[in-house]
Amino acid sequence: MSSPLTDLCRHPIVQAPMAGGASCPPLVAAVAEAGGLGFLAAGYKTADGMYEEIKQVRAATGQPFGVNVFMPQPPHADPGAIDLYRQRLAAEADGYDTPLGDPETDGEDGYEAKTALLLDDPVPVVSFTFGCPSRDTLDAFARVGTYTIVTVTTAEEAQLAQWAGADAVCVQGIEAGGHQSTHHDDPQADHTGIGLLSLVAQVRETVPIPVIAAGGLMRGSQIAAVLAAGGDAVQLGTAFLACPESGAHPLHKQALTNPLFARTVLTRAFSGRPARGLVNRFVREHGPYAPAAYPQIHQVTAGLRKAAAKAGDAQGMALWAGQGHRMARDLPAGKLVGVLAAELQAARAAVSVRSGK
C-alpha cells in the first residue's frame, strides 16, 4: 500500500517539479534531507535521462522523493498557425544565429516509456501534469507501492482524479509560475483561472483525498493560510528556484528580484500552452501571436531559448515565475525548508494567541 502523505515528509512542504533543469538531483535531495518532499521533473527528458537523475537522487538521500510526468497531449494544433508563428520568429533566429526547431519532433521518449520504467523500478511518489492517467495506470502504481498525485486546476478535475484512483491532488491556483496544468487546453478559454485560496476551498468540499496547494506561495504565513483553508500540504516552485542547488540559469534566478522584471503574465509565447513567466521582450513581442500548439511551439523555440541563455540575454529566455517572485530568497534549499517551517509554526502560534487558545 502507498504511504500516507504525512509519512512522506516531516514538513508539509513540497518542492515543485520544474521542467527544464531547475528541479535537478541536488535540489531534490537537499529538500528531502531537510524534511520536505523533493520532486524531479521528467518533462522534456528521455526515459533514460529521467532514470539517471533518479539514480543520482537515490545516491544522495535515503528520504522519499517524487517524479513528475507530463501526460501526452491530443493532436489539435493548426499547422498553418504554427507555420505563421515560425515566420514571425525568423528574425529571432537570425538575431541569435540559430535555427528554429522542428515542431513535429518532441525530443523525448514518450509517456509510456517513462511510466513503464517507474513501474518496473518504483519511486515513492509519482505526480502527473496536463491530465489524469487511466484507472488501470493509477492502480498499477498503487500495486507497486507508489503514492500518486494528479495536478488539477478545477474542482471538476479534482473529482475526476479521485474517481480514477489518485491518492492526492495538487491544486494549482492561477498565481502559480510555469505551465497551467489544465487537463484540456481550450484555445478559446480566457485562462483567467481561480485564485488558490478559493480553489482549495472548492476542492476540499468536492473530494475527500489529500489536497496539496500550489500557486505563488513564498512565506510560511501564506502556507498557514492555505492549510487553514483546507490544504494538507503546499507545493512551492518559484521559492526554490533561487536556491543555489537549483539548476535554473543564473540570469533566471537574478531576474526574480530584478526591478526590470516587475510582473508576470500567462503567455503561450515559448511553448504554445499558457504558462506564467516574467514579462520580457520576447513575451511582449510574440505572446499575443502564439498559437495554442503544445508541444510544437515548445520545440520551435527550444533553440532560441538556449541561444538567448548562452548569449546572456534574459530578454529572450523563458523566465517562468509565480506571482510572488519578488519575495524569492537566495537561501540553500535545506535552510529554506527550515525557515518556511519555522514561519509556518510562528504564524499558527500567532493565530492561537489572537483567538485566545
Side-chain angles (χ1 to χ4, degrees), residues 71 73 129-132 151-154 157 172 174 179-186 189 191 193 268 273-274:
M71 295 293 297
Q73 301 300 289
T129 296
F130 299 154
C132 181
T151 309
V152 302
T153 59
T154 66
E157 290 176 352
Q172 185 194 51
I174 194 65
H179 285 97
Q180 290 291 296
S181 300
T182 50
H183 290 190
H184 302 285
D185 182 17
D186 181 0
H191 292 289
R268 296 183 186 272
R273 221 180 195 276

Side-chain angles (χ1 to χ4, degrees), residues 31-60:
V31 170
E33 284 292 300
L37 181 63
F39 256 97
L40 289 173
Y44 312 142
K45 292 185 175 70
T46 64
D48 287 342
M50 175 191 75
Y51 190 58
E52 285 302 313
E53 291 201 343
I54 289 172
K55 290 194 293 185
Q56 292 177 41
V57 174
R58 285 172 169 163

Side-chain angles (χ1 to χ4, degrees), residues 69 74 97 99 120 123 141 156 171 178 184 186 216 220 333:
V69 178
D97 192 23
D120 183 62
V123 297
F141 276 108
E156 292 76 16
V171 175
H184 302 285
D186 181 0

Side-chain angles (χ1 to χ4, degrees), residues 213-262:
L217 303 174
M218 304 293 287
R219 296 288 187 267
S221 57
Q222 295 171 304
I223 296 174
V226 170
L227 297 183
D232 296 280
V234 298
Q235 180 172 285
L236 300 88
T238 306
F240 286 104
L241 198 61
C243 294
E245 297 93 340
S246 160
H249 193 284
L251 287 176
H252 193 168
K253 296 181 181 184
Q254 295 164 13
L256 296 174
T257 53
N258 185 339
L260 184 64
F261 303 100

Side-chain angles (χ1 to χ4, degrees), residues 196-197 200-201 204 224-231:
L196 182 59
L197 284 174
V200 167
R204 182 74 289 160
V226 170
L227 297 183

